[in-house]
Amino acid sequence: MCDAPGPNLCLDCYFVLEPKPHYFQRGPVHGLAATSYSPEVSSLLVAFKDRGQFALARELGQLMEPLAQELLALSELSGASGSCYLAPAPSRIQNFAKRGFQPSLLLARQLVKKVPNAKVLNCLLLSSGVLDQVGLSSAERISNLEGSMRLNQSVSGKTVFLVDDVVTTGATITEAWKTLSLGGAIVLGALVISEARA
């Protein structure tokens, strides 16, 4: 994050990334963010997603640890029986080809380690015509993603939480919520590392 040599995060960077969990809402989707967006969080996510430092998933998982307890509480309050599922936000084909991994999938895998009854449900696919959201306005982001997602398996009757790295306008989680809901899933909310204001 600070570009100092060494494995993953140095101690100074590690202690800057203190969890500050809070609720947010974007359109119909309620969610919980591990922290607010900041230059430090931005640097960490850039290193994780765009500089090939996917080993940082472990530190990001620790940052999201408070969300695991909330996930358990929310699933119990909803009366969900059996497993709850974590559905990672899909990546653009171009981004997956460049990175070689799906960031939100790695984050979901970190979260399920901390929640006994949770399973990863990698069920969302993104159409090839979607543009990169970076640099788009709020309206452009919504338009860019409208009707862009589909399911690769049945989700009917499953209790689901969405997982993503950052929520800004909420275009991604709203489109994912629509797709899962139309497929018959019970979507209880979204879990993200960071909330950024649009």
Side-chain angles (χ1 to χ4, degrees), residues 57-58 68 86 106-116 118 120:
R58 188 184 66 175
L86 303 184
L106 293 190
L107 297 176
R109 286 174 175 164
Q110 289 295 319
L111 267 176
V112 296
K113 293 177 183 177
K114 308 172 194 305
V115 183
V120 174

Side-chain angles (χ1 to χ4, degrees), residues 176-188:
W177 175 83
K178 288 180 187 174
T179 304
L180 288 162
S181 297
L182 286 171
I186 303 158
V187 187
L188 294 186

Side-chain angles (χ1 to χ4, degrees), residues 30-48:
H30 295 265
L32 186 64
T35 190
S36 296
Y37 203 66
S38 66
E40 293 81 12
V41 171
S42 174
S43 295
L44 179 60
L45 291 174
V46 167
F48 172 57

Side-chain angles (χ1 to χ4, degrees), residues 20 22 32-37 41 44-45 48 60-61 63-64 67 107 163-167 191-195:
K20 296 177 182 175
H22 62 276
L32 186 64
T35 190
S36 296
Y37 203 66
V41 171
L44 179 60
L45 291 174
F48 172 57
L60 290 167
L63 187 61
M64 296 178 79
L67 306 191
L107 297 176
V163 176
D164 206 356
D165 56 347
V166 177
V167 61
L191 305 169
V192 302
I193 290 172
S194 180
E195 179 195 16

Side-chain angles (χ1 to χ4, degrees), residues 2-139:
C2 64
D3 296 327
N8 297 347
L9 297 179
C10 69
L11 285 177
D12 288 341
C13 290
Y14 181 83
F15 287 116
V16 165
L17 295 168
E18 182 181 356
K20 296 177 182 175
H22 62 276
Y23 289 101
F24 66 86
Q25 184 172 359
R26 297 292 189 277
V29 186
H30 295 265
L32 186 64
T35 190
S36 296
Y37 203 66
S38 66
E40 293 81 12
V41 171
S42 174
S43 295
L44 179 60
L45 291 174
V46 167
F48 172 57
K49 294 167 62 176
D50 299 321
R51 294 183 184 166
Q53 297 181 29
F54 55 84
L56 287 169
R58 188 184 66 175
E59 280 73 16
L60 290 167
Q62 290 172 350
L63 187 61
M64 296 178 79
E65 196 160 325
L67 306 191
Q69 297 306 315
E70 195 66 19
L71 192 159
L72 277 171
L74 286 172
S75 59
E76 288 171 2
L77 280 174
S78 73
S81 58
S83 297
C84 66
Y85 294 86
L86 303 184
S91 293
R92 294 171 66 237
I93 293 170
Q94 298 91 326
N95 286 342
F96 182 81
K98 180 174 68 175
R99 294 169 179 153
F101 67 97
Q102 182 182 342
S104 57
L105 177 58
L106 293 190
L107 297 176
R109 286 174 175 164
Q110 289 295 319
L111 267 176
V112 296
K113 293 177 183 177
K114 308 172 194 305
V115 183
N117 67 330
K119 298 178 180 179
V120 174
L121 185 67
N122 194 20
C123 59
L124 291 163
L125 298 175
L126 202 57
S127 66
S128 58
V130 174
L131 303 174
D132 196 324
Q133 295 280 80
V134 176
L136 299 183
S137 69
S138 178

